[in-house]
Amino acid sequence: MFTGIITGVGQIREVKSLGESGQDGVRLKIDAQNFDMSRVKLGDSIAIQGACMTVVKFDEKSFEVDVSRESLNKTAGLDKVGEVNLEHAMRLMDTVDGHLVSGHVDGKGEVASFEPVGESFELRIQAPQEIAKYLAYKGSVTVNGVSLTVNSVEDNAQGCVISINLIPHTVQVTTLKHLKAGTPVNLEIDTIARYVERMLKSQA
């Protein structure tokens, strides 16, 4: 489990195919000099752009993970060189400053707009139909691993557009500063929404 509070921004330096079929997964080597590597052990879980991955190799400044083809198909930003948000798995003594995050991406959204508004920024994301029903006003959502609060929801034929207010600090210390209209993003819904749906179905 994670909290959606980014603890470092790393850089994917290498992307190597794990096979020759063209449908294989990849191994990523991530430069993590701005991440606390003293905590990392073989087999640890680390959220990369919101997707939980397992450490298969590491040294003092970097670590490597294997990403399956299924994970590549369901996520954005794990198939090429570039900056990525990183978060250590939550420990029992940690505070939950964001919200409970599983690191399992539920779907890919697309940035509709990302503009400064006063001293902050407004991020609008088109969410797909399959997860739109789980997004609610003042509810939590994880965008590329970052725990955020939904300010508004506008339903449409494709799903819904959610609006999120970002303070400058969040933009500066995460990869969200690189977002622009058309950029795909990883979305994870609030775990509570899953249980609510399950309870309602069981009463039907």
Side-chain angles (χ1 to χ4, degrees), residues 3 7 34 51 70 89 100 119 126 129 145 168 184 190:
T3 68
T7 49
N34 297 318
E70 175 70 8
L100 292 178
E119 76 285 357
Q126 172 68 55
Q129 190 72 52
D190 191 343

Side-chain angles (χ1 to χ4, degrees), residues 92-107:
L92 289 179
M93 72 283 285
D94 290 339
T95 58
V96 184
D97 296 315
H99 70 282
L100 292 178
V101 175
S102 69
H104 299 151
V105 175
D106 291 299

Side-chain angles (χ1 to χ4, degrees), residues 4 32 40 61 77 80 92 100 103 105 118 123 147 149 162 164 168 181 189:
V40 175
K61 297 182 179 180
K80 58 186 176 183
L92 289 179
L100 292 178
V105 175
L123 173 62
S147 172
T149 300
I162 56 174
I164 298 165
I189 62 173

Side-chain angles (χ1 to χ4, degrees), residues 99 134-142 148-153 164 190:
H99 70 282
Y134 300 106
L135 300 169
Y137 171 66
K138 296 304 180 184
S140 296
V141 65
T142 309
L148 298 168
T149 300
V150 176
N151 280 350
S152 69
V153 180
I164 298 165
D190 191 343

Side-chain angles (χ1 to χ4, degrees), residues 76-144:
L78 299 182
D79 58 350
K80 58 186 176 183
V81 170
E83 284 192 336
V84 286
N85 291 322
L86 302 175
E87 184 187 354
H88 291 286
M90 183 174 63
R91 299 172 296 187
L92 289 179
M93 72 283 285
D94 290 339
T95 58
V96 184
D97 296 315
H99 70 282
L100 292 178
V101 175
S102 69
H104 299 151
V105 175
D106 291 299
K108 288 189 286 187
E110 182 177 291
V111 175
S113 64
F114 183 45
E115 303 289 343
V117 178
E119 76 285 357
S120 301
F121 296 82
E122 182 188 33
L123 173 62
R124 291 170 56 80
I125 298 172
Q126 172 68 55
Q129 190 72 52
E130 60 267 24
I131 65 174
K133 63 181 179 179
Y134 300 106
L135 300 169
Y137 171 66
K138 296 304 180 184
S140 296
V141 65
T142 309
V143 180
N144 284 353

